[in-house]
Amino acid sequence: MFAYIIRRVIATIPVMAVVALFVFSLLYIAPGDPAAVIAGDQATPQDVERIRQSLGLDRPFLVRFGEWVWNILNGDMGVSIFTNLPVTTMIKQRVEPTLSLMVLTLILAVSIAVPMGVVAAWKHGTWVDRCVMGFAVLGFSVPVFVVGYVLAYVFALELDWLPVQGYTAFKEGFFPWLRNLVLPAIALGGVYIALIARITRATMLEVLQQDYIRTAKAKGVDQRSILFLHALKNAAVPIVTVIGIGMALLIGGAVVTESVFAIPGLGRLTVDAILRRDYPVIQGVVLLFSFIYVLVNLLIDLLYTLFDPRIRY
Amino acid sequence: MSTATIEQRAAIAAPLPDVLPAIKPRRGFIGYLRKNPTIAIGGFLLLLMLFVAVAAPLLWTVDPTALAPARRTREPSAMYWFGSDMLGRDVYSRVLYGARVSMLVGFSVAVLASIIGLTIGLTSGFVRWADALVMRVMDGMMSIPPILLAIALMALTRGSVQNVIIAITIAEIPRVSRLVRGVVLSLREQPYVDAAVACGTRTPVIIWRHILPNTLAPITVQATYICASAMITEAILSFIGAGTPPIIPSWGNIMAEGRALWQVKPYIVFFPAIFLSVTVLAVNLLGDGLRDALDPRMAKRL
């Protein structure tokens, strides 16, 4: 087991290396000369050259890449072109809203989608099943910002139940925090719910055909125990895998959701950075999100034994 | 042993068809569509949208970029079917012309990503030394969430429809490559491929004649899903200001422009939103239908 963990962690290193190389190349081939930007409009070519040398921009690609990786490992992601603040500081300021949104969405989505998938599999072929599958197709088709605007229009503008937009920090109380995040979380969760519900249904359908389910039925185990104890437990591995892979949808969707609901998180930071062409910030955010994504999927890989003791390493 | 002869048994069995007349399955194209309603509905909606995109100039539209500041933010009416935006442009015309961008991006990305993904997948499925390298690169690209990858690429270039297509295609390639590689690896183990090898068939011929045709069904299904996701990604990119330039009326752009006013004039956002959702729904339905029709094994799983 321990050897497996080590092997699995080592296997993520080449993946992260490719991500790092890609993200670094982004800055390297980015149009516009950072030295010229820093030097300003009044600078002479000599000034620009001097700044270029002082920044080390005249050195070869691999040297700069190595140094960049070394800096990141030491917690230095460079300085924003626009605000002159270190990128790590800017990310730290914005991390809470995004983390809140994603955790809430994750909890909400899993607790809605898994029962939905289970019921659909149980009532296979009936109108319940068809409703769930129909919802899943809709979830895949209606983009996150469309769901966001419809929800905000109905529940915030027309019914006035929830705030239209904005964010309240967690330390100012749980309910104000939740009130602001409910709509964004539902909007962001749409695709995710569709994905998880579909996989849950598909896996459950397969598991429900197994002999041990028939045995359980024959000996009179009640329906709920069969579904949630016997079947769901055996369907857990694919479901958990898709929850991990679906994190990519969550991350991409967060960027948009934060724009719709004016949440000052990492997504807003990304959008602002794009509009200002603030490459160090774009780099930092892409790297951070990818790192989180890889880490989550690594954790899930390691958790498999928990759900299925037959898997041994 | 029974004493009845075959003829006697046949005589007993014969009346059955008269009692239960055989149900004649409808054949041909119509029958196929009736058997696969999702393909019919999805295909119909998609054709409708395609018609709207192509025939936009004929459908009582005006110049989608014509400004009329005096008549800005009009509610939907007989003159402005979908209202007018804050610069007085006709939202109806803009939404109809927006279908062109969405269709162009969706189909181009689906075709390009499929072709490139097919090439990469076939290569890494057949060339051992390339496989490890290519798949590590694909793993790395896949660990960047696709929308972020497209955003990052768009940050490098000027906003144009062409660049949006390239950015989304690059973001979609890893998934197609993985799919094709998986199919190729399982096909390689098939007895008929062994037989072809034993007959001395050269590798390019095996790929062309035995492997490629078998990858077409999963690729087609995948391509429809890519098309749907590319349409959404294009709208998202334009919506956050990293997509098509504002001068081009795309659904994402119209929504981005309507954003500032959406609490008072929600229709500017909602009309393109409805068109986008219906189009993506049509493509997804078509994909689901094709999947069920082309790959019954997958249909059971999903």
Side-chain angles (χ1 to χ4, degrees), chain B residues 235-276:
Chain B
I236 286 176
L237 287 176
S238 300
F239 181 73
I240 65 175
T244 48
I247 183 82
I248 296 177
S250 79
W251 291 333
N253 277 339
I254 304 170
M255 281 186 264
E257 286 153 11
R259 207 164 85 190
L261 285 175
W262 89 270
Q263 296 191 22
V264 274
K265 306 279 178 195
Y267 56 86
I268 304 178
V269 171
F270 283 149
F271 281 116
I274 291 167
F275 272 72
L276 174 63

Coordinates of all heavy atoms in Angstrom, one line a residue, chain B residues 235-276:
Chain B
A235 N -19.1 30.5 -26.2 CA -20.0 31.5 -25.6 C -19.3 32.0 -24.3 O -19.4 33.2 -24.0 CB -21.3 30.9 -25.3
I236 N -18.7 31.0 -23.5 CA -18.1 31.4 -22.2 C -16.9 32.4 -22.5 O -16.8 33.4 -21.8 CB -17.6 30.2 -21.5 CG1 -18.8 29.5 -20.9 CG2 -16.6 30.5 -20.4 CD1 -18.5 28.2 -20.2
L237 N -16.1 32.0 -23.5 CA -14.9 32.8 -23.8 C -15.4 34.2 -24.2 O -14.8 35.3 -23.7 CB -14.1 32.2 -25.0 CG -13.3 31.0 -24.6 CD1 -12.6 30.5 -25.9 CD2 -12.2 31.3 -23.6
S238 N -16.4 34.3 -25.1 CA -16.9 35.6 -25.5 C -17.5 36.4 -24.3 O -17.3 37.6 -24.2 CB -17.9 35.5 -26.6 OG -17.3 34.9 -27.7
F239 N -18.2 35.6 -23.5 CA -18.9 36.2 -22.3 C -17.9 36.9 -21.4 O -18.2 38.0 -20.9 CB -19.7 35.2 -21.6 CG -20.5 35.7 -20.4 CD1 -21.6 36.4 -20.6 CD2 -20.0 35.4 -19.1 CE1 -22.3 36.9 -19.5 CE2 -20.8 35.9 -18.1 CZ -21.9 36.6 -18.3
I240 N -16.7 36.3 -21.2 CA -15.8 36.9 -20.2 C -14.8 37.8 -21.0 O -13.9 38.3 -20.4 CB -15.0 35.8 -19.4 CG1 -14.1 35.0 -20.3 CG2 -15.9 35.0 -18.6 CD1 -13.3 34.0 -19.5
G241 N -15.0 38.0 -22.3 CA -14.2 39.0 -23.0 C -12.9 38.4 -23.5 O -12.0 39.1 -23.9
A242 N -12.8 37.1 -23.7 CA -11.6 36.5 -24.2 C -11.9 35.7 -25.5 O -11.1 34.8 -25.9 CB -11.0 35.5 -23.2
G243 N -13.0 36.0 -26.1 CA -13.4 35.2 -27.3 C -13.4 36.0 -28.6 O -12.4 36.7 -28.8
T244 N -14.5 35.9 -29.3 CA -14.6 36.7 -30.6 C -14.6 38.2 -30.3 O -15.1 38.6 -29.3 CB -15.9 36.3 -31.3 OG1 -16.9 36.3 -30.4 CG2 -15.8 34.9 -31.9
P245 N -14.0 39.0 -31.2 CA -14.0 40.4 -30.9 C -15.5 41.0 -30.8 O -16.4 40.5 -31.5 CB -13.3 41.0 -32.1 CG -13.3 39.9 -33.2 CD -13.4 38.6 -32.4
P246 N -15.7 42.0 -30.0 CA -17.0 42.5 -29.8 C -17.8 43.0 -31.0 O -19.0 42.9 -31.0 CB -16.7 43.8 -28.9 CG -15.4 43.6 -28.3 CD -14.6 42.7 -29.3
I247 N -17.1 43.3 -32.1 CA -17.7 43.7 -33.3 C -18.6 42.6 -33.9 O -19.6 42.8 -34.6 CB -16.7 44.3 -34.3 CG1 -17.3 44.8 -35.6 CG2 -15.7 43.2 -34.7 CD1 -17.8 46.2 -35.4
I248 N -18.1 41.3 -33.7 CA -18.9 40.2 -34.3 C -20.0 39.8 -33.4 O -19.8 39.6 -32.2 CB -17.9 39.0 -34.5 CG1 -16.8 39.3 -35.5 CG2 -18.7 37.7 -34.9 CD1 -15.8 38.2 -35.7
P249 N -21.3 39.7 -33.9 CA -22.3 39.4 -33.0 C -22.3 37.8 -32.7 O -22.8 37.1 -33.6 CB -23.6 39.8 -33.8 CG -23.2 39.8 -35.2 CD -21.7 40.0 -35.2
S250 N -21.8 37.4 -31.6 CA -21.9 36.0 -31.2 C -22.7 36.0 -30.0 O -22.8 37.0 -29.3 CB -20.5 35.4 -31.0 OG -20.0 35.8 -29.7
W251 N -23.3 34.8 -29.7 CA -24.2 34.8 -28.5 C -23.5 35.2 -27.2 O -24.1 35.9 -26.4 CB -24.8 33.4 -28.4 CG -25.8 33.1 -29.5 CD1 -26.5 34.0 -30.2 CD2 -26.1 31.8 -30.1 NE1 -27.3 33.4 -31.2 CE2 -27.0 32.1 -31.1 CE3 -25.7 30.5 -29.8 CZ2 -27.6 31.0 -31.9 CZ3 -26.3 29.5 -30.6 CH2 -27.2 29.7 -31.6
G252 N -22.3 34.7 -27.1 CA -21.5 35.1 -25.9 C -21.3 36.6 -25.8 O -21.5 37.2 -24.7
N253 N -21.0 37.3 -26.9 CA -20.8 38.7 -27.0 C -22.1 39.5 -26.6 O -22.1 40.4 -25.9 CB -20.3 39.2 -28.3 CG -18.8 39.0 -28.5 OD1 -18.1 38.9 -27.5 ND2 -18.4 38.9 -29.7
I254 N -23.2 39.0 -27.2 CA -24.5 39.7 -26.9 C -24.8 39.6 -25.4 O -25.2 40.6 -24.8 CB -25.7 39.0 -27.8 CG1 -25.3 39.0 -29.2 CG2 -27.0 39.8 -27.5 CD1 -26.2 38.2 -30.1
M255 N -24.6 38.4 -24.8 CA -24.8 38.3 -23.4 C -23.9 39.2 -22.6 O -24.3 39.8 -21.6 CB -24.7 36.9 -23.0 CG -25.9 36.0 -23.4 SD -25.9 34.4 -22.7 CE -25.2 33.5 -24.1
A256 N -22.6 39.2 -23.0 CA -21.6 40.0 -22.3 C -22.1 41.5 -22.3 O -22.0 42.2 -21.3 CB -20.3 39.9 -22.9
E257 N -22.6 42.0 -23.5 CA -23.0 43.4 -23.6 C -24.3 43.6 -22.8 O -24.5 44.7 -22.3 CB -23.2 43.7 -25.1 CG -21.9 43.9 -25.8 CD -22.0 43.6 -27.3 OE1 -23.2 43.5 -27.8 OE2 -21.0 43.5 -28.0
G258 N -25.1 42.6 -22.7 CA -26.4 42.8 -22.0 C -26.2 42.7 -20.5 O -27.1 43.0 -19.7
R259 N -25.0 42.2 -20.1 CA -24.7 42.0 -18.7 C -25.0 43.2 -17.8 O -25.6 43.1 -16.7 CB -23.3 41.5 -18.5 CG -23.1 40.6 -17.3 CD -21.8 39.8 -17.4 NE -20.7 40.6 -16.9 CZ -19.5 40.3 -17.1 NH1 -19.2 39.2 -17.8 NH2 -18.5 41.0 -16.6
A260 N -24.4 44.3 -18.2 CA -24.5 45.6 -17.4 C -25.9 46.0 -17.1 O -26.3 46.5 -16.1 CB -23.8 46.7 -18.1
L261 N -26.8 45.7 -18.1 CA -28.2 46.1 -18.0 C -29.2 45.0 -17.6 O -30.4 45.2 -17.6 CB -28.7 46.7 -19.3 CG -28.1 48.1 -19.7 CD1 -28.6 48.4 -21.1 CD2 -28.6 49.1 -18.7
W262 N -28.7 43.8 -17.3 CA -29.6 42.7 -17.3 C -30.6 42.7 -16.2 O -31.7 42.1 -16.4 CB -28.8 41.4 -17.2 CG -28.5 40.9 -15.8 CD1 -27.4 41.2 -15.0 CD2 -29.3 40.0 -15.0 NE1 -27.5 40.6 -13.8 CE2 -28.6 39.9 -13.8 CE3 -30.5 39.4 -15.3 CZ2 -29.2 39.1 -12.8 CZ3 -31.0 38.6 -14.2 CH2 -30.3 38.4 -13.0
Q263 N -30.4 43.5 -15.1 CA -31.4 43.5 -14.1 C -32.6 44.4 -14.5 O -33.8 44.1 -14.1 CB -30.9 44.1 -12.8 CG -29.8 43.3 -12.3 CD -29.3 43.6 -10.9 OE1 -30.1 44.3 -10.1 NE2 -28.2 43.2 -10.5
V264 N -32.4 45.3 -15.5 CA -33.6 46.1 -15.9 C -34.0 45.6 -17.3 O -35.2 45.7 -17.6 CB -33.2 47.6 -16.0 CG1 -33.5 48.2 -14.7 CG2 -31.8 47.8 -16.4
K265 N -33.1 45.1 -18.1 CA -33.5 44.7 -19.5 C -33.0 43.2 -19.7 O -32.1 43.0 -20.4 CB -32.8 45.6 -20.6 CG -33.1 47.1 -20.4 CD -34.4 47.4 -20.9 CE -34.7 48.9 -20.7 NZ -36.1 49.3 -20.9
P266 N -33.7 42.3 -19.0 CA -33.2 40.9 -19.0 C -33.2 40.3 -20.4 O -32.5 39.3 -20.6 CB -34.0 40.2 -18.0 CG -35.2 41.1 -17.8 CD -34.8 42.5 -18.1
Y267 N -34.1 40.8 -21.3 CA -34.3 40.1 -22.5 C -33.0 40.1 -23.4 O -32.8 39.2 -24.2 CB -35.5 40.7 -23.3 CG -35.3 42.2 -23.6 CD1 -34.6 42.7 -24.6 CD2 -35.9 43.1 -22.7 CE1 -34.4 44.0 -24.9 CE2 -35.7 44.5 -22.9 CZ -35.0 44.9 -24.0 OH -34.8 46.3 -24.2
I268 N -32.2 41.1 -23.2 CA -30.9 41.1 -24.0 C -30.1 39.9 -23.7 O -29.4 39.3 -24.6 CB -30.1 42.4 -23.8 CG1 -31.0 43.6 -24.0 CG2 -28.9 42.4 -24.7 CD1 -30.3 45.0 -23.7
V269 N -30.1 39.5 -22.5 CA -29.3 38.3 -22.1 C -30.1 37.0 -22.4 O -29.5 36.0 -22.9 CB -29.0 38.3 -20.6 CG1 -28.4 37.0 -20.2 CG2 -28.0 39.4 -20.3
F270 N -31.4 37.1 -22.2 CA -32.2 35.8 -22.3 C -32.4 35.3 -23.7 O -32.4 34.1 -23.9 CB -33.5 35.9 -21.6 CG -33.4 35.9 -20.1 CD1 -34.2 36.6 -19.2 CD2 -32.4 35.2 -19.5 CE1 -34.1 36.6 -17.9 CE2 -32.2 35.1 -18.1 CZ -33.1 35.8 -17.3
F271 N -32.6 36.2 -24.7 CA -32.8 35.6 -26.1 C -31.6 34.8 -26.6 O -31.7 33.7 -27.0 CB -33.2 36.7 -27.0 CG -34.6 37.1 -26.9 CD1 -35.0 38.4 -26.5 CD2 -35.6 36.2 -27.2 CE1 -36.4 38.7 -26.3 CE2 -37.0 36.5 -27.0 CZ -37.3 37.7 -26.6
P272 N -30.3 35.4 -26.5 CA -29.2 34.6 -27.0 C -29.0 33.3 -26.1 O -28.7 32.2 -26.6 CB -28.0 35.5 -26.9 CG -28.4 36.6 -26.1 CD -29.9 36.8 -26.2
A273 N -29.4 33.5 -24.8 CA -29.2 32.3 -23.9 C -30.1 31.2 -24.3 O -29.7 30.0 -24.3 CB -29.6 32.7 -22.4
I274 N -31.4 31.5 -24.7 CA -32.3 30.5 -25.1 C -31.8 29.8 -26.4 O -31.8 28.6 -26.5 CB -33.7 31.1 -25.4 CG1 -34.3 31.5 -24.0 CG2 -34.6 30.0 -26.1 CD1 -35.5 32.4 -24.2
F275 N -31.4 30.6 -27.4 CA -30.9 30.0 -28.6 C -29.7 29.1 -28.4 O -29.6 28.0 -28.9 CB -30.5 31.2 -29.6 CG -31.6 31.6 -30.5 CD1 -32.7 32.3 -29.9 CD2 -31.7 31.3 -31.8 CE1 -33.7 32.8 -30.7 CE2 -32.8 31.7 -32.6 CZ -33.8 32.4 -32.0
L276 N -28.7 29.6 -27.6 CA -27.5 28.8 -27.3 C -28.0 27.5 -26.6 O -27.5 26.4 -27.0 CB -26.6 29.6 -26.3 CG -25.4 28.8 -25.8 CD1 -24.5 28.4 -27.0 CD2 -24.6 29.7 -24.8

